[in-house]
Amino acid sequence: AFGADHWGKGYASDAVAALVKWSDGRLGMNEIRCIIDPANAVSIRVAERCGFARNGAVTSDLGESLVFARVGPT
């Protein structure tokens, strides 16, 4: 999470891209998922730019969240 004074500067995109690159090279996981509030259009765009696609939704006591997944190297 980033404070509002840091929004729109590309920090989230850079962080997600770095996480994806690191996990592809180190963890050997073939899929990464993220859970995003449906009202958070900016985070959805960040996820999509980093190769994530909508994979479903989950509901908790906090309400509905969207699930995005990215399939990486196997």
Side-chain angles (χ1 to χ4, degrees):
F2 295 94
D5 54 333
H6 298 301
W7 293 354
K9 297 181 180 180
Y11 299 143
S13 295
D14 289 348
V16 174
L19 171 71
V20 166
K21 182 178 178 181
W22 179 82
S23 67
D24 284 351
R26 300 277 178 122
L27 297 180
M29 298 170 61
N30 67 338
E31 184 174 293
I32 303 170
R33 294 185 180 191
C34 55
I35 299 171
I36 303 173
D37 184 316
N40 193 336
V42 174
S43 290
I44 291 169
R45 284 194 302 275
V46 167
E48 290 172 340
R49 278 196 303 268
C50 291
F52 289 81
R54 186 167 173 185
N55 186 266
V58 294
T59 303
S60 72
D61 57 342
L62 300 175
E64 184 181 49
S65 296
L66 302 177
V67 178
F68 287 75
R70 179 192 169 276
V71 176
T74 54

